[in-house]
Amino acid sequence: MAAPNTLPEWNALAALGDDELPLLDTALLIARDEYPDLEPGGYAAQMESYAETLRPQLDGDIDLPARLTAINRYLFEELGFAGNNLQYDDPRNSYLNEVVDRKLGIPISLAVVQIEVTRRLGMPLDGVSFPGHFLVRLPVDDGILVLDPYNKGRPVSAEELRERASPHMGGHPPDDQQLLQILAPATNRAILMRMLRNLKGLYLEQRDWERVARTADRLLKLSPGTAEAVRDRGLAYRELGYAKGAREDLARYLQMLPEAEDGEGVRAALVDLSGVPARVN
């Protein structure tokens, strides 16, 4: 864990285990790329303040679902955290400092707030990398309780989960075993990488090549063997005129995935770059 007003070093993260990565600190590290003056200590203190406010409400012999209901009421009704329906594609929804300041986010960033607060209260809430829409889960006596942080933490039934998953599985709803696999807890690394992929996707749509290169590079700091991040950084470098970096990344991508579906296009990009002189960037 970093000191209150410091954050971990990017180059140290790949060596950490998937759940050794500090979730809040690394999410703030992602945000600091966009907001270099960010003061991380204030956001950690904010999470602790939320937990301290909730502790008296959770005293007594109440079960986990009832405790979580109280937490969600506080976060989503009293504090007003909400999904940003009007500007879902606003990158600020993925930067945790903005999410806390504006009380607006997307499913995964709201889930990080929910997870950070509940874990401070000793509750085993985990993220779920559900297809299309990030969720959270809590173990209960008869199974798991799945909740939707984008919709004020409301419970999601097994039938609704099957319906949501179906379009991502060729139109076929998952059976019980498949659904359990989909609902497996997401590691901190998986959560942070999904946050970065969301940002990279937004910046690709905007053709903001500097930020595409940056988010792809950060993905590689978390997981150096991520082929799509190598490719996207290389393509961004090409657009930015950094031919040497583009050639290295695109060639590495083809080495990693020689049978890639987009291999022909990547090879064509490499041919186009073959005569471009290198320049320092």
Side-chain angles (χ1 to χ4, degrees):
M1 182 69 69
N5 288 298
T6 62
L7 292 174
E9 295 293 331
W10 277 112
N11 289 334
L13 298 180
L16 296 178
D18 288 350
D19 279 324
E20 292 176 334
L21 280 167
L23 182 59
L24 177 64
D25 285 351
T26 311
L28 291 171
L29 188 63
I30 292 169
R32 194 172 64 181
D33 280 337
E34 189 69 16
Y35 303 92
D37 296 328
L38 182 151
E39 294 289 344
Y43 293 98
Q46 192 83 303
M47 296 296 120
E48 187 57 42
S49 171
Y50 296 158
E52 284 297 323
T53 300
L54 280 161
R55 278 192 181 96
Q57 302 178 38
L58 305 179
D59 286 343
D61 187 20
I62 58 174
D63 60 17
L64 282 179
R67 290 164 66 88
L68 189 56
T69 297
I71 293 169
N72 286 342
R73 185 187 306 116
Y74 175 67
L75 290 176
F76 299 114
E77 296 181 18
E78 294 184 39
L79 292 178
F81 279 96
N84 192 347
N85 293 313
L86 296 178
Q87 294 178 302
Y88 191 90
D89 292 337
D90 188 331
R92 291 178 295 177
N93 297 327
S94 292
Y95 290 118
L96 204 65
N97 60 320
E98 289 281 7
V99 174
V100 174
D101 290 347
R102 301 168 70 228
K103 303 294 188 292
L104 287 172
I106 55 175
I108 193 167
S109 57
L110 294 170
V112 170
V113 173
Q114 198 179 18
I115 289 168
E116 282 295 319
V117 173
T118 55
R119 287 181 178 175
R120 281 169 168 75
L121 294 164
M123 294 179 61
L125 190 72
D126 285 310
V128 176
S129 286
F130 203 81
H133 191 127
F134 199 85
L135 300 169
V136 296
R137 52 170 278 166
L138 182 76
V140 292
D141 290 340
D142 55 349
I144 56 174
L145 179 62
V146 180
L147 304 108
D148 184 351
Y150 192 71
N151 288 293
K152 299 186 176 182
R154 74 169 179 83
V156 186
S157 68
E159 290 71 23
E160 184 178 347
L161 290 168
R162 294 183 207 280
E163 185 179 329
R164 289 190 186 192
S166 179
H168 304 276
M169 303 182 69
H172 303 292
D175 60 28
D176 289 349
Q177 189 60 38
Q178 289 172 323
L179 187 58
L180 282 174
Q181 291 174 350
I182 293 170
L183 294 174
T187 65
N188 288 354
R189 190 182 307 276
I191 294 171
L192 294 160
M193 290 184 70
R194 183 158 169 166
M195 292 178 79
L196 281 165
R197 285 191 173 101
N198 286 344
L199 281 166
K200 180 164 63 69
L202 292 175
Y203 292 136
L204 275 166
E205 290 177 6
Q206 298 170 7
R207 301 178 67 83
D208 186 339
W209 299 113
E210 287 189 11
R211 288 180 171 86
V212 171
R214 184 183 76 199
T215 50
D217 182 75
R218 295 321 196 190
L219 277 164
L220 293 168
K221 296 294 188 186
L222 290 177
S223 181
T226 306
E228 45 94 0
V230 174
R231 177 200 62 202
D232 290 346
R233 187 176 67 177
L235 294 173
Y237 282 164
R238 180 186 64 169
E239 297 293 333
L240 293 168
Y242 180 30
K244 179 177 182 293
R247 284 194 292 263
E248 289 176 353
D249 276 352
L250 296 180
R252 181 184 167 201
Y253 174 69
L254 292 174
Q255 289 176 341
M256 296 169 80
L257 295 177
E259 303 299 323
E261 291 185 5
D262 60 351
E264 184 175 341
V266 173
R267 290 185 183 90
L270 269 173
V271 170
D272 290 342
L273 286 162
S274 60
V276 178
R279 72 174 177 85
V280 175
N281 187 332

